[in-house]
Amino acid sequence: MRPELLERALSLLPTTAPHPQSVQQELARYFAMLRDYPIRGGKGIRSELLLASAQAHGVQVGTAAWESALWLATALELFQNWVLIHDDIEDDSEERRGKPALHRLHGVALAINAGDALHAYMWAAVHRAGVPGAMEEFLAMIHRTAEGQHLDLAWVEHREWTLTEADYLQMVSLKTAHYTVIVPLRLGALAAGLAPDERFTAAGLALGAAFQIRDDVLNLLGDPAKYGKEIGGDLLEGKRTLIVLHWLQTASAEQKDIFLEQMHLERPAKDTATIADIHRWLMDSGSVAYAQAYADAQAKEGIALLAEVLQDAPDQKAAARLVGAVQELASREA
Amino acid sequence: MRPELLERALSLLPTTAPHPQSVQQELARYFAMLRDYPIRGGKGIRSELLLASAQAHGVQVGTAAWESALWLATALELFQNWVLIHDDIEDDSEERRGKPALHRLHGVALAINAGDALHAYMWAAVHRAGVPGAMEEFLAMIHRTAEGQHLDLAWVEHREWTLTEADYLQMVSLKTAHYTVIVPLRLGALAAGLAPDERFTAAGLALGAAFQIRDDVLNLLGDPAKYGKEIGGDLLEGKRTLIVLHWLQTASAEQKDIFLEQMHLERPAKDTATIADIHRWLMDSGSVAYAQAYADAQAKEGIALLAEVLQDAPDQKAAARLVGAVQELASREA
């Protein structure tokens, strides 16, 4: 994320506490946990969308409205960070941004607690922005994301594989589209004091699907140095993806049996050699190309819709930058 | 909690979602998870303190200010509920309010997610109250509680037993006093449109310590039917308590070695017969009486301070009810 957003995020987080020396040292560890993920540095995709949307809606750098937009962007980054801490526990992920996940460094209990605190600091940033309607926007965003997250996790928990591509897309629209695209676009309008265009939802649903499917593709074939998470992690975590659901329709009965057998095992019980076989089957199938083509079509549709919404935007240069930023979502390499 | 608060809390939570049939069923399970802990029914101690404080500060039932106080009380109950969901995971507790803890019913991942969502619904209730200053109050409350929770959990995680009674009391003041007493008292004032009396902090710190120590005592000798959690659970979870820290100063070297050996084991590895021995040693020592006497003294001090603050309160009947409610904190049986 932008240095000025990281600076704002860190300015909200404590560094010292007025407590006796005896507990100071342990609390210093806690404060360091709160700062860890933000300092590792995310790509800041969502905050960039929000700021570009604000500018496209007429917010000028240096004004009070820009200051509000920066606080909303900071809140969005804090959202991303607390969600990732909890998400990494929920998936028992190994890595985040190229380093061990927080719960692997400090244990599950302390990491849950740090995520909860960071969640509250996110609300401090929302409050600081002072933008009418922003709080409702963050509430709706968290609720949709939690619903999608529930579906994703429940399907893993219940070993549910009799799912259609439509089920997957519904999950993704909840889990990813709102916080990645729809809400950043809407918050940009609110920062400008305008009611968000309702067509942002349809555009964001298409772009969000494109973004998540691209993420699923990168999880299989990304560059480990750039991706920041373990390649193939989705298979170890038993995640549903469009690639896997598509492949299951064409796989041989034998391969399907082997796949489902592995997916019914807990992560530590999975056989890494067999998972590597499955990884190769997926790569050799047409399913990665199928999913990427689906993502490309969704991206195209979303971009067209977004360009249409923005055609009368007050700042056309910013609008073009916004369209450029979403164009990267479905084709990014990391 | 009061039926009218439960009703308000449930009115914020979703029961149906405009999603395709295929995911409806799983989302219905998620909605039920959000409602589970609130429906189990807590004692509502904190919301009662808040409402009594509001009345003592002059808020009259049926007014707009009372409506605001009810929403703040609802938010406080939602805070308690999401914190308990996460707390039960962090401690790997077995029971909550006489039933299995949420993560024991649905797994850790889904329970973390449900707690996060309930956290956001808490903010919806704070927002609904529309009371200036309330958001800052909830932010400070969560931050202090998370700091205390970190100390509590970190001492378990790091097998830290070289602690003084002062360390324990510092942890308790952060973990318990703010959300149990100080913030409910302050929110009552804010609901009345008044600046909270700063002496509420000192009163609440004393009363919060009394409350937590009483809880530690009940965890050892409470009536299982009333207490709602497993008796002796703190020992299995390796929790620091004033009772244990006091007992460690007087225990024989042999008993101390046995105790520390058990406390260095993970919960499932602990020997239940040995834990039962330790439980008996604690009960037979003077340390339970010592802790209860300390709690009684703190309660007395807190009540005197509170009575002093409230002597000019506009509604003396409500003020007396408030003092009566806090009196129960340190002497309750469940």
Side-chain angles (χ1 to χ4, degrees), chain A residues 178-200:
Chain A
H178 288 269
Y179 94 95
T180 304
V181 192
I182 300 171
V183 171
L185 293 174
R186 290 174 59 87
L187 287 170
L190 290 172
L194 300 168
D197 192 300
E198 288 304 326
R199 290 170 295 173
F200 280 148

Side-chain angles (χ1 to χ4, degrees), chain B residues 68-87:
Chain B
S68 289
L70 288 172
W71 278 113
L72 290 179
T74 302
L76 210 50
E77 290 296 328
L78 284 169
F79 171 78
Q80 169 80 350
N81 279 283
W82 76 255
V83 165
L84 289 179
I85 292 174
H86 284 184
D87 196 54

Side-chain angles (χ1 to χ4, degrees), chain B residues 50 54 57 59 64-66 68-70 72 131-132 186-194:
Chain B
L50 188 159
H57 283 89
V59 173
W66 179 248
S68 289
L70 288 172
L72 290 179
V131 171
R186 289 174 59 88
L187 287 170
L190 290 173
L194 300 169

Side-chain angles (χ1 to χ4, degrees), chain A residues 85-103:
Chain A
I85 293 174
H86 284 184
D87 196 55
D88 287 344
I89 302 169
E90 290 159 2
D91 296 338
D92 196 15
S93 298
E94 288 182 7
E95 293 176 15
R96 175 62 60 186
R97 297 174 180 160
K99 292 184 186 169
L102 201 66
H103 70 287

Side-chain angles (χ1 to χ4, degrees), chain A residues 22 26 86 113 116 146 150 167, chain B residues 22 26 86 113 116 146 150 167:
Chain A
S22 53
E26 189 52 61
H86 284 184
N113 186 58
D116 288 338
H150 178 90
D167 293 330
Chain B
S22 52
E26 188 53 60
H86 284 184
N113 186 58
D116 288 337
H150 177 89
D167 294 329

Side-chain angles (χ1 to χ4, degrees), chain B residues 112-333:
Chain B
I112 293 175
N113 186 58
D116 288 337
L118 216 54
H119 180 167
Y121 284 107
M122 175 204 79
W123 287 108
V126 176
H127 190 48
R128 187 77 163 261
V131 171
M135 190 154 182
E136 288 82 352
E137 213 59 45
F138 272 84
L139 287 170
M141 173 178 80
I142 296 173
H143 297 324
R144 293 300 84 71
T145 307
E147 288 168 5
Q149 185 73 353
H150 177 89
L151 291 175
D152 195 21
L153 296 170
W155 290 340
V156 173
E157 178 81 15
H158 304 144
R159 316 294 200 259
E160 178 59 78
W161 283 99
T162 56
L163 295 163
T164 63
E165 294 186 9
D167 294 329
Y168 167 85
L169 292 167
Q170 181 60 36
M171 180 272 283
V172 163
S173 79
L174 290 165
K175 189 183 80 161
T176 307
H178 288 269
Y179 95 95
T180 304
V181 192
I182 300 171
V183 171
L185 294 174
R186 289 174 59 88
L187 287 170
L190 290 173
L194 300 169
D197 192 302
E198 288 305 325
R199 290 171 294 172
F200 280 149
T201 302
L205 287 174
L207 290 162
F211 176 83
Q212 183 61 55
I213 294 167
R214 181 63 189 162
D215 198 63
D216 297 343
V217 169
L218 287 174
N219 194 280
L220 287 177
L221 53 73
D223 176 346
K226 289 184 195 161
Y227 186 60
K229 293 196 67 173
E230 67 274 26
I231 298 302
D234 283 348
L235 287 175
L236 289 165
E237 294 165 13
K239 287 307 175 86
R240 279 86 196 126
T241 63
L242 192 63
I243 306 160
V244 166
L245 292 176
H246 182 265
W247 172 77
L248 279 173
Q249 295 167 36
T250 57
S252 70
E254 190 199 2
Q255 286 187 344
K256 209 169 153 177
D257 284 349
I258 292 170
F259 174 83
L260 290 174
E261 190 186 7
Q262 284 297 316
M263 291 304 125
H264 278 72
L265 299 171
E266 296 289 336
R267 183 185 172 132
K270 287 193 172 80
D271 181 62
T272 45
T274 311
I275 292 292
D277 286 342
I278 294 168
H279 195 157
R280 204 168 44 249
W281 298 338
L282 288 169
M283 300 284 276
D284 293 346
S285 74
S287 298
V288 175
Y290 167 83
Q292 186 61 57
Y294 187 90
D296 291 343
Q298 288 285 298
K300 200 175 162 190
E301 184 188 321
I303 287 162
L305 202 47
L306 184 63
E308 187 189 313
V309 178
L310 294 172
Q311 66 187 354
D312 299 321
D315 184 340
Q316 282 299 315
K317 219 172 124 186
R321 191 155 56 79
L322 178 52
V323 172
V326 299
Q327 245 154 358
E328 280 180 38
L329 287 181
S331 56
R332 70 208 160 82
E333 293 299 320

